[in-house]
Amino acid sequence: MAGKPESSPKSSYSPEEIVFFILILLTVWGIISTWISKNHAVLVTYYNTSIFYLINFFAKYVVFSVFFSIALFVLIIVYSKKAGQIKTQLKNKVLPITGDIKVDVINSIVENAKWKLVQEHIGSDDANKWKLAIIEADIILSELLDSMRLPGSGVGEKLKNIEASDFEHIEEAWEAHKIRNAIAHQGSDFLITQREAKRVIRLYESVFNEFKII
């Protein structure tokens, strides 16, 4: 026996209820529309104020960032100049300028009269002057070490009291000074070629260039 056909499910809301809900929605929408219409000017003012506040905030932020960056840049320049002045003052304390150093302000060239004499001797054809050039270069080295207030009575003792980290070309100074000592002790018995003498002078030159005294 065939079963009864299933009846379609009834709507969960009756037509009266649907109409009631629609009326409620229309009423609510009417209230909201009325409130928006009455407060339209207030809402527009609030919106414009909010937009203006945001724009003003970001504008101030950008302006602040620009001025802050400029201030940092100025501080960097000031401290760089200050660091340069401090470095110059320290250099003057360590390497005081004497009458032997003439400064050409226009061309910014520092000429050491004693070093000029060393160069004249080393360029001579006289072998004795090559030795004299080395001895005079060592005198400049001695004056340099004296200006550093290092303990010790001679160049060798002063070199022993120097930290390698504070004296980049200390090995060159040692090698050149040992040859100077050989010249001083052996005198005319010490033989040296001009090529070797120039090499020794270049050792001194590397030291003097490090401390910018030539």
Side-chain angles (χ1 to χ4, degrees), residues 50-64:
S50 300
I51 296 298
F52 176 78
Y53 174 79
L54 290 175
I55 294 174
N56 190 40
F57 173 78
F58 283 109
K60 289 181 178 179
Y61 177 78
V62 171
V63 172
F64 172 78

Side-chain angles (χ1 to χ4, degrees), residues 13-23:
Y13 298 104
S14 64
E16 292 82 3
E17 291 175 329
I18 293 174
V19 171
F20 177 74
F21 287 137
I22 291 174
L23 290 174

Side-chain angles (χ1 to χ4, degrees), residues 122-147:
I122 200 64
S124 171
D125 295 329
D126 188 348
N128 290 325
K129 287 188 177 181
W130 305 340
K131 299 177 186 178
L132 185 58
I134 294 173
I135 292 174
E136 290 176 343
D138 199 77
I139 293 174
I140 300 175
L141 175 61
S142 177
E143 292 175 349
L144 169 63
L145 298 177
D146 288 341
S147 68

Side-chain angles (χ1 to χ4, degrees), residues 154-182:
V155 172
E157 291 184 12
K158 287 182 172 62
L159 288 175
K160 290 178 182 178
N161 290 294
I162 294 178
E163 293 291 337
S165 58
D166 297 330
F167 203 124
E168 182 180 350
H169 295 90
I170 189 169
E171 294 299 329
E172 288 85 343
W174 266 115
E175 183 180 355
H177 180 63
K178 288 177 181 179
I179 295 175
R180 176 268 172 198
N181 284 345

Side-chain angles (χ1 to χ4, degrees), residues 16-176:
E16 292 82 3
E17 291 175 329
I18 293 174
V19 171
F20 177 74
F21 287 137
I22 291 174
L23 290 174
I24 289 177
L25 290 174
L26 291 175
T27 302
V28 172
W29 173 249
I31 293 171
I32 293 173
S33 299
T34 302
W35 184 85
I36 292 174
S37 298
K38 290 182 179 180
N39 297 278
H40 179 265
V42 176
L43 292 175
V44 171
T45 302
Y46 177 77
Y47 174 78
N48 292 336
T49 302
S50 300
I51 296 298
F52 176 78
Y53 174 79
L54 290 175
I55 294 174
N56 190 40
F57 173 78
F58 283 109
K60 289 181 178 179
Y61 177 78
V62 171
V63 172
F64 172 78
S65 299
V66 171
F67 279 102
F68 185 71
S69 300
I70 294 174
L72 286 179
F73 181 72
V74 171
L75 285 175
I76 290 172
I77 294 176
V78 171
Y79 279 108
S80 296
K81 290 184 177 180
K82 190 66 177 179
Q85 292 175 354
I86 293 174
K87 184 177 180 181
T88 301
Q89 291 174 357
L90 290 175
K91 178 182 174 183
N92 290 338
K93 289 181 179 180
V94 175
L95 302 174
I97 298 177
T98 65
D100 296 327
I101 299 178
K102 302 175 183 179
V103 181
D104 185 345
V105 178
I106 298 177
N107 298 316
S108 298
I109 297 174
V110 178
E111 180 184 5
N112 189 307
K114 290 183 178 179
W115 180 249
K116 186 176 181 180
L117 187 60
V118 169
Q119 291 178 313
E120 291 177 358
H121 288 334
I122 200 64
S124 171
D125 295 329
D126 188 348
N128 290 325
K129 287 188 177 181
W130 305 340
K131 299 177 186 178
L132 185 58
I134 294 173
I135 292 174
E136 290 176 343
D138 199 77
I139 293 174
I140 300 175
L141 175 61
S142 177
E143 292 175 349
L144 169 63
L145 298 177
D146 288 341
S147 68
M148 292 180 176
R149 310 287 195 275
L150 295 169
S153 58
V155 172
E157 291 184 12
K158 287 182 172 62
L159 288 175
K160 290 178 182 178
N161 290 294
I162 294 178
E163 293 291 337
S165 58
D166 297 330
F167 203 124
E168 182 180 350
H169 295 90
I170 189 169
E171 294 299 329
E172 288 85 343
W174 266 115
E175 183 180 355

Side-chain angles (χ1 to χ4, degrees), residues 176-192:
H177 180 63
K178 288 177 181 179
I179 295 175
R180 176 268 172 198
N181 284 345
I183 294 173
H185 294 154
Q186 299 179 31
S188 59
D189 293 333
F190 185 86
L191 301 179
I192 189 171

